Amino acid sequence: MAKKSKNYTIEELQQMKSTLESDRNLLMTTYDDCLFYYLPEFQNESEYKKGTKVNEESQPLESHGQTAASTLSSGIFSNTVSMSSEFFGFRTNSEELNQSDTVRRWFAEAAKICLRQMQNSNFAMSCNEAIVWYTSLNTGVLYCEYSGDSMMYQSYPITQCSISEDKNGIVNTLFRSFNMTAQQAMERWGNSNSKQIKEAYNDPSARFQKFPFYHAVMPRDNFDREKMTKDEMPFYSYYCDEQNGIIVEDGGYKTFPYAVPRYERTSISPYGRGPSFTCLPLCREIDRLSFTVGDGIELKANPPSFFPAGTVQEDVDLLPGAVNFYNPAQGNIVFYQQDIDLQGAEARIFRLNEQIRGVFHSDLFRLPEDTSNMTATEVNARRAEKVQAITPVVNRLYDELFSVIITRTLFLLVDNGVIEPYPAELQGKDFNVEYTTKLDSMMKAVEVESVMRSIQQAAGIYETAMNIPKLNSVINIDQAVKNIFIANNVSNDVVYSDQETEDIQKQEAEAQAQAQQQQQMMEKMGTVDPMKAPEEGSIAQQMEGMEL
């Protein structure tokens, strides 16, 4: 009998929340600066407000950061999500199972239903929002649940969440802070609410007053896999009234309900790092230079003026075309002549902007440049370079966002009877999500080009070695060819290992030796009368049982 899991008190939950938030708060200053430069319209999403730019109404002078982050987020979304066609499917790690008609039919039908449910939900909008947060703060959060008779998705900024990982670096704990009005809280939790919220609900002047809550989800240590009741599920779920210190709802999840993609991950923190952090110094420098350029233009258009002592300022007209009379004996009106290198400052801003665009992979999603003076090889090489630069990022996004959300969508639809139960062959088996997105196709095309380029280069080496036999005594031809495939980043799934190559060469040598032996025996036999039985002990008799 399984040991019953522990139920946490509100005090224990609050302590966990404080501990997790202390880790996240180390990045809140950086998050606030990211919101200022990349998403200034969402600066109120952070309640910490200790960044260098904390005015909710303030905006950066230049939008280079916003443009770069927006280009990356829209490029990733439009090239990975296709709501009009099936952009994903399922398969197991077992090729035998993948060949099963039952499994293939179930996977195909499941993928169609999942996509249809996602099309009829708010998936596209919420996924796009999650990717916007992901590119601007380097960490995104997307929640997934089956509500009523349809799927529901919701994205949240990481500034409202605190997270923790398991031993494998996978996020399995999340505390999310949010506010609810008294009316919203009563609609959801009714009598489970605190006395204060009930009183606010009954008071028309306080009904829409907001109260702080948080949602805590974490793995359950011990649970009964057979029962799967709300207090025997793999993950805890607590909704807590933070201000009044009570748990208003406790339950559980069969799978972790949040997907938390990180742009890049370090071993010292569960929170993502990425281009928005890298480009902050560049954005600050652009802002500073923009102030300088603005001041320079204003100085040039409206320079400070110097009047002789004793001149009354009201007697001087500085409007365009104005005529002022003065006594030369008292001195002239002199205007300040500024000598600021505005062109140099603007050139510096341009160079910094190009650096930001490069870090955010903007060129990958830019319209094709003029390729009239480039060969096809040069065009493909440039495209391959751009795609390869973002491949690790996309692969992590597949693993931590799309695979998590699509797999949970499938699980919820099966659990709620929308999709037929898993076939017997899949019971207890793991399976993966496969993608057929535009970006995935681009990455596969780059792989194919790498293979073809490697084959052409390898063919050149083998041809040269045949024409110059002495090369075989100087270099290891086979190893040189393998090095070509490695240098071109050809996948190990395509290239045989050293042991496999050795086994294949051995089999080929044995087959060649056997063919030569058969050829020699045929030559010794000479012409054979097919109507005459072979003589005892003759070569023809020996070959009767031999496979040709």
Side-chain angles (χ1 to χ4, degrees), residues 5 49 83 108 112 118 136 159 161 175 191 206 242 246 276 438 485 529 545:
S5 60
K49 295 299 179 189
M83 300 306 294
K112 289 180 181 178
M118 293 162 74
S136 298
T159 53
C161 305
F175 280 64
N191 289 330
E242 187 169 13
I246 64 171
S276 65
K438 294 179 182 178
F485 283 87
D529 185 354

Side-chain angles (χ1 to χ4, degrees), residues 358-521:
V359 174
F360 275 94
H361 303 286
S362 297
D363 289 347
L364 178 61
F365 306 108
R366 183 187 289 179
L367 291 175
E369 59 189 68
D370 182 16
T371 58
S372 56
N373 296 324
M374 299 171 61
T375 65
T377 302
E378 290 173 333
V379 172
N380 292 335
R382 183 166 298 185
R383 183 179 65 176
E385 181 181 358
K386 295 177 181 178
V387 173
Q388 287 173 350
I390 202 172
T391 296
V393 175
V394 175
N395 287 335
R396 176 175 282 278
L397 190 65
Y398 283 161
D399 291 341
E400 295 190 336
L401 177 62
F402 294 115
S403 288
V404 175
I405 287 298
I406 293 173
T407 302
R408 177 161 168 79
T409 298
L410 173 61
F411 175 84
L412 290 172
L413 294 177
V414 172
D415 200 43
N416 287 277
V418 180
I419 295 177
E420 294 182 357
Y422 301 101
E425 296 98 316
L426 286 178
Q427 294 295 332
K429 303 290 185 182
D430 293 330
F431 55 87
N432 305 315
V433 181
E434 280 200 331
Y435 304 96
T436 54
T437 65
K438 294 179 182 178
L439 202 53
D440 192 59
S441 298
M442 290 172 63
M443 292 190 295
K444 289 180 179 177
V446 169
E447 291 180 5
V448 171
E449 290 172 3
S450 297
V451 172
M452 292 302 300
R453 185 166 59 253
S454 300
I455 291 174
Q456 292 172 355
Q457 294 171 354
I461 286 184
Y462 280 126
E463 183 177 356
T464 303
M466 289 179 62
N467 295 330
I468 309 175
K470 288 186 177 180
L471 278 178
N472 291 288
S473 61
V474 177
I475 64 172
N476 186 330
I477 302 297
D478 292 335
Q479 187 59 50
V481 168
K482 280 205 168 185
N483 289 342
I484 288 176
F485 283 87
I486 293 173
N488 287 325
N489 295 317
V490 176
S491 172
N492 290 331
D493 295 336
V494 177
V495 182
Y496 286 124
S497 66
D498 292 341
Q499 184 60 50
E500 289 173 328
T501 300
E502 184 179 340
D503 293 341
I504 292 172
Q505 291 175 342
K506 184 177 179 181
Q507 292 173 5
E508 290 176 347
E510 291 176 352
Q512 185 177 5
Q514 184 177 4
Q516 290 177 349
Q517 182 181 6
Q518 292 174 354
Q519 181 63 30
Q520 293 172 356
M521 295 180 70

